[in-house]
Amino acid sequence: MNKLAFTYADTQFTVFVNDSEIIQVFCDQQAIQLTTVNNFIKSCQVNGATLRFDTEQLTAGRIGIATTDAPFDYLDVPTASTENKTGWLGLAALGLKVFKSAKVIKAALAGASVAGYAWLFSFEFAMMLIICLVIHEYGHVRAMQYFGIKTKGIYLIPFVGGLAVSDEKITTRWQDVVISLMGPAYGLITSILGVVLYYATDMEIFAGVAVISALLNLFNLLPILPLDGGHVLKSISFSMRSWIGLLACLAGVTLGLWISYTFGLMLLVFFIFIGSIEIIFEWRSRKQSHLLPLDRYGQIFSAIMYVAVVAGHVAVMMHFADADNVILSLPMKILSS
């Protein structure tokens, strides 16, 4: 990572960059938030003016800086000095760098997830579960990419599920709704495809994929933070009135605790604890929130989308409710209880 320092309007700026992008910008030693204009242009607001950065030539060691619509001035980025590391210290540093590699971590977590689920159930069941999780998280990633939000990819967490990680924050409640619902929506496509392949091939493994996908995604649609359904509920209710959002989210917490007690899902209690912290921060920062709220049309449309995705997964589970196979009928029995 390299550092570039410069002065603009009697203000000291420090920019930290790597070979291809800006890591962080500091204004008078305080971090400022960057907005993505396109693949190479970033901007920020400083003292009522817009400061822009062009990262297209970062690979050549140069960065463009301009105000508002003025042409870019390109500065050379100083190269960080490197030390010659030898012996065990150098090997340890290299090993740490490899361990921190996102690809290595993703592969290790994916392997641990497959091994863990295969140990608990079977290899075939583990693969079906992983496929459902990956498709679900890919739906989140695609939604982020649609809104121009950079992503770090998908991480599979053993015995927990999956996680789609972004590099940037959302700016509107609508983005939160769409990103949250696209995971279960892609899961619904998986379930429907599983049903079609089951009738085309008469192989129960496809029916198993359909049912498992429906159950996992329906669980994720529970109106409990930090699950996807909780994010949809939060975006709709906090767009109406902040106190309505608080009451609605607290109702979701109560529902989650009841489900945890009824089914003995202690891991869900941990998730509810994390979601409760998010609710507290959301409530405390309600007057300074940078998120653009949903209008009345957006609230209604978001609720309709949520109900439609839920209904689709329930329909898939109901379709196999009377199946002779215990695995295929189990999700509907759980839902009906």
Side-chain angles (χ1 to χ4, degrees):
M1 183 169 63
N2 301 322
K3 180 177 74 173
L4 171 66
F6 65 94
T7 301
Y8 164 71
D10 297 327
T11 304
Q12 182 67 33
F13 289 87
T14 305
V15 183
F16 290 91
V17 301
N18 58 19
D19 293 337
S20 60
E21 62 181 353
I22 297 175
I23 304 298
Q24 185 64 66
V25 176
F26 289 87
C27 174
D28 286 338
Q29 299 183 346
Q30 290 195 1
I32 56 178
Q33 185 175 357
L34 291 177
T35 301
T36 300
V37 179
N38 56 42
N39 290 339
F40 298 109
I41 307 298
K42 309 284 185 180
S43 68
C44 62
Q45 296 295 321
V46 180
N47 298 330
T50 301
L51 190 63
R52 298 180 298 139
F53 299 91
D54 183 3
T55 61
E56 187 173 6
Q57 298 185 29
L58 265 181
T59 54
R62 304 179 73 219
I63 185 171
I65 302 173
T67 57
T68 315
D69 296 326
F72 284 101
D73 291 326
Y74 288 89
L75 306 177
D76 293 327
V77 179
T79 303
S81 60
T82 57
E83 299 178 0
N84 185 23
K85 298 181 180 179
T86 58
W88 290 105
L89 183 61
L91 291 175
L94 179 61
L96 182 62
K97 185 176 181 180
V98 171
F99 179 76
K100 287 183 176 180
S101 171
K103 292 182 179 179
V104 173
I105 294 176
K106 289 178 185 178
L109 289 174
S113 296
V114 173
Y117 296 134
W119 177 68
L120 279 178
F121 306 104
S122 66
F123 180 75
E124 291 78 8
F125 182 87
M127 292 308 299
M128 286 193 296
L129 192 58
I130 293 299
I131 289 172
C132 294
L133 289 173
V134 169
I135 293 176
H136 174 99
E137 299 302 332
Y138 181 70
H140 292 314
V141 170
R142 288 295 297 164
M144 293 175 190
Q145 292 174 344
Y146 172 79
F147 288 116
I149 300 174
K150 287 187 177 181
T151 63
K152 293 183 179 179
I154 299 171
Y155 291 81
L156 295 174
I157 313 299
F159 307 114
V160 174
L163 186 65
V165 182
S166 67
D167 260 343
E168 300 170 334
K169 294 182 179 180
I170 61 173
T171 56
T172 68
R173 298 284 186 189
W174 173 245
Q175 290 178 349
D176 195 17
V177 169
V178 175
I179 292 172
S180 298
L181 284 179
M182 281 300 284
Y186 267 60
L188 180 57
I189 295 174
T190 304
S191 295
I192 294 174
L193 182 60
V195 173
V196 172
L197 291 175
Y198 167 66
Y199 283 107
T201 63
D202 204 29
M203 297 175 63
E204 284 194 341
I205 188 171
F206 293 119
V209 169
V211 171
I212 291 173
S213 176
L215 181 61
L216 286 175
N217 285 280
L218 194 61
F219 175 81
N220 230 297
L221 285 166
L222 288 173
I224 305 167
L225 283 169
L227 301 179
D228 294 332
H231 279 280
V232 175
L233 172 67
K234 182 187 71 174
S235 291
I236 295 175
S237 55
F238 268 93
S239 294
M240 299 166 65
R241 287 192 183 94
S242 55
W243 62 267
I244 292 180
L246 178 63
L247 293 176
C249 292
L250 290 178
V253 169
T254 304
L255 173 64
L257 292 174
W258 177 80
I259 292 175
S260 301
Y261 175 78
T262 302
F263 294 98
L265 302 175
M266 296 308 298
L267 184 60
L268 183 58
V269 176
F270 172 74
F271 287 146
I272 293 172
F273 173 73
I274 299 298
S276 299
I277 295 176
E278 184 175 345
I279 294 172
I280 293 173
F281 278 107
E282 188 84 23
W283 171 254
R284 292 182 61 182
S285 62
R286 62 191 183 279
K287 294 181 180 179
Q288 295 85 28
S289 177
H290 68 286
L291 296 176
L292 183 67
L294 295 165
D295 58 17
R296 184 55 57 88
Y297 172 78
Q299 296 167 19
I300 296 173
F301 190 70
S302 298
I304 292 174
M305 288 196 304
Y306 174 79
V307 172
V309 177
V310 169
H313 287 295
V314 172
V316 172
M317 293 169 60
M318 290 180 63
H319 185 75
F320 293 101
D322 298 325
D324 295 331
N325 189 308
V326 177
I327 300 298
L328 298 182
S329 60
L330 181 61
M332 194 59 205
K333 291 178 181 178
I334 294 174
L335 186 62
S336 62
S337 66

